[in-house]
Amino acid sequence: MTSAAERPLLFLDVDGPLIPFGTSPGHPRTAAPAPAGQGNPLLARLDPGVGAPLLALGCDLVWATTWMERANEVVAPRIGLPHLPVADWPDTDAAAGPDPRGLHWKTRGLVARADGRPFIWVDDEIGPMDRLWVTAQHPGPSLLHRVDPARGLTPPDFSTLTTWLDALRASTSAGRSLP
């Protein structure tokens, strides 16, 4: 297990949280399509200002996305993030047994990567089974934050993350643990 003095991890998905799928008129991240020949047209939905508030959270950011290293090449520069570590997605471990029904395929790998360290997981596919499994399998504090994929990360999402991190820091400095 890692030292309690280490910064919390923040596992970050791309599709949904950073590239919203909503197409409501006037939505700032869906207004302009990518120019022809510029690659994935959904990249125009990235909010170039989202990187600064992510960095301001004071977490160690880790890509938790099927974009893998491409998130560093294509997404990070557009939103003002540095090169980040990427969560590996190992093959399912047969010795661990089949995943419980409803458990997201990322859950086991993220808990293993956290290795007892406090973490936040920001994704649009988090469900009740993921929360139950993390509570049972992860000895440290965790926040599984589901983002509305139609809107992506919004100021209320950042408020939730900040509130949890403030409580974590307060409990750590007081020698208590956050549930």
Side-chain angles (χ1 to χ4, degrees):
M1 187 154 131
T2 58
S3 163
E6 286 187 286
R7 293 167 20 132
L9 294 164
L10 190 150
F11 296 116
L12 183 60
D13 186 28
V14 171
D15 294 317
L18 297 179
I19 299 178
F21 299 119
T23 57
S24 59
H27 191 282
R29 291 181 242 174
T30 62
Q38 293 290 319
N40 187 334
L42 294 178
L43 293 173
R45 296 180 180 196
L46 288 167
D47 177 354
V50 76
L54 283 167
L55 291 170
L57 291 170
C59 297
D60 289 340
L61 302 175
V62 178
W63 292 119
T65 175
T66 56
W67 283 70
M68 303 293 291
E69 191 59 41
R70 292 226 357 110
N72 281 316
E73 299 162 9
V74 178
V75 177
R78 286 180 164 89
I79 62 173
L81 290 179
H83 186 278
L84 302 176
V86 178
D88 292 323
W89 306 121
D91 293 332
T92 304
D93 184 347
D99 285 338
R101 178 178 221 111
L103 187 68
H104 194 284
W105 60 269
K106 294 179 184 176
T107 308
R108 284 183 194 247
L110 296 180
V111 169
R113 172 85 182 238
D115 191 26
R117 189 170 165 184
F119 75 89
I120 297 172
W121 176 20
V122 175
D123 204 306
D124 62 313
E125 296 181 346
I126 295 168
M129 182 55 72
D130 301 304
R131 295 177 197 289
L132 290 170
W133 200 87
V134 169
T135 298
Q137 300 297 319
H138 182 66
S142 60
L143 172 65
L144 278 60
H145 184 71
R146 186 184 180 282
V147 172
D148 178 353
R151 298 174 46 98
L153 275 168
T154 62
D157 293 308
F158 280 104
S159 178
T160 298
L161 302 178
T162 300
T163 298
W164 186 84
L165 287 163
D166 288 347
L168 175 67
R169 290 175 184 123
S171 67
T172 301
S173 66
R176 298 184 311 267
S177 63
L178 188 70

